[in-house]
Amino acid sequence: MFKISDAARRAALTVKTVRYYADIGLVKPAGRSAAGYRLYADSDLAKLGFIGRARRYSFSIDQCRDLLSLYEDDQRPSAEVKRITLEKIAEIDRKLGELQELRDELRHLAGSCPAWATLTIGHLRQSMLGQAPGFLCTDSPQPSSGNAHLERGQ
């Protein structure tokens, strides 16, 4: 059994977060010490670690609760568990696709200008919002003033 501080450290969470998860019933401490401290078992640490990872990747508390209920319900039909799990995998795949698209856009933007070039926040915003096909720096040598000339990308 682990005190809350040890459980939090092992799950890479803060004590405040572990306490919050216990208060909302997401993870219930295995018991209390004689002094009244919350105690967590190894299985609780596994749940806390899972919740921490899921939350870092933008899963809501309710989604975490749903996923934990799959883990804890021995009576749930396996077909239902599989369906819910595959839905979550599809959601993760969609998010990964969106993140990959964003990464590619940022790489293109970063690669379109040499380090000495000036690319304003306005240009970045326009490019990211799709309001312009993108602004690319010219391939001309570095201007003596230190400012690059921007031209619209093709």
Side-chain angles (χ1 to χ4, degrees):
M1 299 291 246
F2 301 93
K3 286 190 210 177
I4 193 168
S5 58
D6 293 329
R9 188 181 73 257
R10 289 172 183 256
L13 299 169
T14 65
V15 170
K16 184 177 180 179
T17 300
V18 174
R19 190 174 294 119
Y20 171 70
Y21 291 161
D23 290 345
I24 64 171
L26 201 55
V27 174
K28 296 178 182 154
R32 294 220 177 232
S33 69
Y37 294 110
R38 299 171 202 223
L39 297 174
Y40 293 87
D42 286 329
S43 60
D44 299 322
L45 295 181
K47 290 177 196 176
L48 287 167
F50 172 78
I51 294 166
R53 286 188 305 280
R55 294 290 292 147
R56 280 190 286 282
Y57 293 107
S58 301
F59 279 76
S60 70
I61 294 290
D62 287 337
Q63 288 172 323
C64 291
R65 192 181 309 278
D66 290 345
L67 290 169
L68 283 176
S69 72
L70 295 177
Y71 173 77
E72 295 172 337
D73 186 357
D74 294 338
Q75 304 304 312
R76 181 170 273 176
S78 61
E80 184 181 3
V81 170
K82 184 174 182 175
R83 179 187 60 77
I84 293 170
T85 303
L86 289 174
E87 286 174 4
K88 294 299 178 193
I89 291 170
E91 184 178 331
I92 290 169
D93 287 342
R94 278 191 300 277
K95 287 181 181 182
L96 283 172
E98 291 171 7
L99 286 171
Q100 288 171 341
E101 286 177 16
L102 178 59
R103 180 196 60 212
D104 292 345
E105 288 176 23
L106 292 173
R107 275 192 180 147
H108 173 74
L109 187 62
S112 67
C113 289
W116 51 263
T118 301
L119 184 65
T120 69
I121 294 298
H123 294 123
L124 176 63
R125 187 178 304 119
Q126 286 178 326
S127 178
M128 292 181 76
L129 293 175
Q131 296 172 344
F135 285 86
L136 304 175
C137 296
T138 61
D139 291 331
S140 61
Q142 180 175 356
S144 59
S145 66
N147 294 321
H149 300 285
L150 296 175
E151 64 180 33
R152 241 173 209 245
Q154 305 289 326

